Amino acid sequence: MSQTYSLVNPYNNELLGEYEYSSWAQIEEKLALLKQGQKTQRKTAAFERANILMTLASLLKDNAEKMAKLITLETGKTISDSRVEMVRAVNATIASAEEARQISGEALDSDAYAAAGGKIGVVCWRPLGTIFCITPFNFPINIAMHKIGPAYAAGNSILFKPGPQNTASSQLLVDLCYEAGIPQNVLQFCMPPLSDLDRLNAHPAINAINFTGGTAAANAISAAAGYKKLLLELGGNDPLIIMEDADLEAAAKSAINHRFATAGQRCTAAKRLFIHAAVYDKFRDILVEKSAALVIGDPMKDDTFVGPVIHQAAADEIRKRIEGAINDGATVALGNQYEGAFVYPTILENVSADSEVMIEETFGPVMPLYKFDDVEEIIPIINNTAYGLQAGIFSNNLSVIRYLFEELDVGTLATNDGPGFRTEHFPFGGVKESGVGREGIKYAIREMSHTKTLVI
């Protein structure tokens, strides 16, 4: 008997649809088909894969509005955010097409070390095989194309599992991939029940797992995967630092965009703000004023900036985190209001450095403010977390920027921008529990490939 799941719109709780989970027999069939697809990929030239990806980029652009509306219905993300996501997805697909033509190795002279062998090593990149791509709810199409695009460009076959909430948008994406020319034996969609995930992750027909999501799920994947190649993009507790020479208007705008957009449900959101005492009061006032003016409500309306979080349980968890900070001595400068799955943008002051909201990742529109006098005092506070994804700083003092670049446990430091900065051709990933490996199209292609050497 098949298992089913129902999906509702987080904004109004209307039923979006009922779907069947993939049975284990269906998954086995898909994996066998993808094994055949590895041969198909070997016969497909790089320029052909590049052309197919460019066709897909065009199809995604043509269907961007339809896809954006689906994303908003499924996740509660505002329609303006969903449209931006589709621009990013198109760019990721174009970048994958361009990088498909640029997968180059090198030639090595064996005479570099004694005894000279008079040989040349021709080093080539080859696909790993079948990649299991697992995506989260918050950027369902953009993150999918940051996995499917480079996996396909590298010559792999792909088993794609989105978050259940994104079933309709992800199925449309797969249909567009087929329409663009990706064969069905190269890309397959699956939605296994949770009870089947461990044995799927352990399946010998899967050669690598590319996952974006939470640490607990990543731990389960790692435990089951064995010797498979893992590319894990996990959570973050990213700081935004405002120095005394900062452009405060620009910093406040960036803080809002990098924390309250997508209702704060981003791994690279500005989850902790560190503000120099010399500008703290002025910056806080600007920030509160701008945040209070944000439009909260129907995510389908063009002017809405903050929609609901993904579901009521997520809102309840965020509320517990806020109340915990208040119990630890924090005061509310704005927000701390709730309505169904809505969490109103919340700004907290006087937050203890040891409060859970400062140490753990809070996946919602909560902004704790921390006042400091000397940049050295905040380094251990920033690093006192299991995560180390990205950071942002507003300052024009290059010596401070360079100092923080070396001292902070992060994968990227963005200057005069928020920690959410990302572009398709930059490496993306963190340290500690923020992940293993690097995304970014060129880098992801390397992660989903291996070197093979011919000695002649």
Side-chain angles (χ1 to χ4, degrees):
M1 184 175 179
S2 61
Q3 298 183 56
T4 63
Y5 60 101
S6 300
L7 300 179
V8 299
N9 181 332
Y11 168 62
N12 56 22
N13 292 316
E14 288 184 358
L15 181 68
L16 296 177
E18 295 186 3
Y19 302 90
E20 288 190 0
Y21 284 110
S22 304
S23 69
W24 187 250
Q26 289 172 327
I27 290 170
E28 291 274 22
E29 290 174 3
K30 291 173 185 288
L31 288 171
L33 186 64
L34 292 172
K35 183 70 174 179
Q36 298 172 13
Q38 293 176 26
K39 295 179 181 179
T40 301
Q41 282 284 65
R42 283 197 290 272
K43 295 176 182 178
T44 306
F47 79 88
E48 294 176 300
R49 293 197 295 271
N51 290 342
I52 286 170
L53 286 165
M54 286 302 295
T55 300
L56 176 57
S58 180
L59 288 170
L60 286 172
K61 189 173 182 179
D62 291 344
N63 288 272
E65 186 66 14
K66 179 180 180 180
M67 191 77 86
K69 288 178 178 177
L70 271 178
I71 294 169
T72 295
L73 286 172
E74 292 174 335
T75 68
K77 177 187 287 191
T78 64
I79 189 64
S80 57
D81 263 357
S82 296
R83 288 169 179 151
V84 171
E85 173 172 351
M86 289 309 301
V87 172
R88 291 281 314 282
V90 170
N91 288 343
T93 310
I94 292 170
S96 297
E98 293 171 343
E99 290 295 338
R101 303 176 188 272
Q102 306 297 326
I103 304 174
S104 57
E106 58 183 339
L108 302 175
D109 191 335
S110 72
D111 291 350
Y113 295 95
K119 300 286 188 179
I120 294 175
V122 181
V123 183
C124 302
W125 289 97
R126 293 293 183 260
L128 293 175
T130 295
I131 312 293
F132 186 22
C133 295
I134 308 171
T135 58
F137 74 86
N138 55 346
F139 291 89
I141 304 305
N142 182 38
I143 291 179
M145 286 316 306
H146 272 84
K147 300 185 186 306
I148 293 171
Y152 178 73
N156 296 287
S157 59
I158 303 137
L159 182 65
F160 171 43
K161 183 210 144 346
Q165 187 72 28
N166 309 120
T167 297
S169 59
S170 298
Q171 287 181 335
L172 176 56
L173 172 62
V174 171
D175 289 343
L176 294 177
C177 288
Y178 293 155
E179 185 178 344
I182 296 179
Q184 292 193 23
N185 68 357
V186 171
L187 172 65
Q188 282 289 309
F189 173 98
C190 75
M191 188 62 71
L194 186 61
S195 57
D196 281 342
L197 278 178
D198 279 351
R199 64 173 171 167
L200 179 52
N201 288 322
H203 201 291
I206 289 175
N207 303 104
I209 301 172
N210 185 350
F211 168 78
T212 296
T215 304
N219 290 340
I221 290 169
S222 300
Y227 290 105
K228 291 180 175 63
K229 178 74 177 289
L230 299 180
L231 176 54
L232 308 175
E233 197 281 289
L234 309 178
N237 196 12
D238 299 349
L240 176 58
I241 303 161
I242 315 298
M243 297 301 297
E244 67 268 37
D245 66 331
D247 180 334
L248 300 185
E249 289 282 341
K253 181 179 179 181
S254 181
I256 290 168
N257 287 334
H258 288 252
R259 185 44 170 164
F260 294 148
T262 324
Q265 299 169 113
R266 298 180 181 182
C267 58
T268 57
K271 298 187 177 77
R272 300 176 290 167
L273 265 66
F274 296 85
I275 305 114
H276 195 281
V279 294
Y280 179 90
D281 289 345
K282 185 175 181 181
F283 175 79
R284 177 207 54 215
D285 292 346
I286 295 170
L287 182 66
V288 169
E289 181 182 3
K290 289 182 180 294
S291 299
L294 298 176
V295 177
I296 302 156
D298 185 348
M300 276 296 184
K301 292 185 176 179
D302 288 344
D303 61 344
T304 299
F305 192 86
V306 181
V309 296
I310 189 63
H311 46 58
Q312 179 70 57
D316 293 342
E317 185 62 32
I318 298 162
R319 183 172 190 164
K320 284 170 56 180
R321 190 66 58 83
I322 293 170
E323 290 175 349
I326 293 170
N327 291 336
D328 290 339
T331 55
V332 178
L334 181 73
N336 194 25
Q337 295 174 257
Y338 313 90
E339 185 178 344
F342 279 88
V343 178
Y344 282 63
T346 299
I347 299 173
L348 301 174
E349 295 189 89
N350 305 307
V351 181
S352 167
D354 297 325
S355 180
E356 196 175 17
V357 77
M358 291 289 284
I359 297 173
E360 300 295 333
E361 178 182 36
T362 302
F363 221 55
V366 185
M367 192 183 290
L369 309 185
Y370 190 92
K371 184 193 298 186
F372 70 92
D373 294 295
D374 191 311
V375 73
E376 289 189 3
E377 74 185 77
I378 64 173
I379 291 171
I381 300 172
I382 290 173
N383 289 341
N384 182 31
T385 179
Y387 304 101
L389 190 50
Q390 301 203 146
I393 179 173
F394 272 81
S395 176
N396 293 312
N397 187 327
L398 185 57
S399 63
V400 170
I401 293 168
R402 286 293 304 274
Y403 176 69
L404 288 170
F405 178 72
E406 298 297 339
E407 293 296 324
L408 297 182
D409 296 335
V410 295
T412 296
L413 175 63
T415 60
N416 293 311
D417 208 332
F421 177 86
R422 183 177 182 181
T423 189
E424 277 57 56
H425 60 299
F426 282 25
F428 179 77
V431 298
K432 302 192 290 188
E433 291 186 18
S434 283
V436 176
R438 288 293 180 269
E439 290 197 333
I441 302 303
K442 177 175 71 174
Y443 301 90
I445 285 172
R446 299 298 185 266
E447 296 281 3
M448 291 187 273
S449 306
H450 66 90
T451 58
K452 191 172 185 179
T453 304
L454 174 64
V455 180
I456 55 177

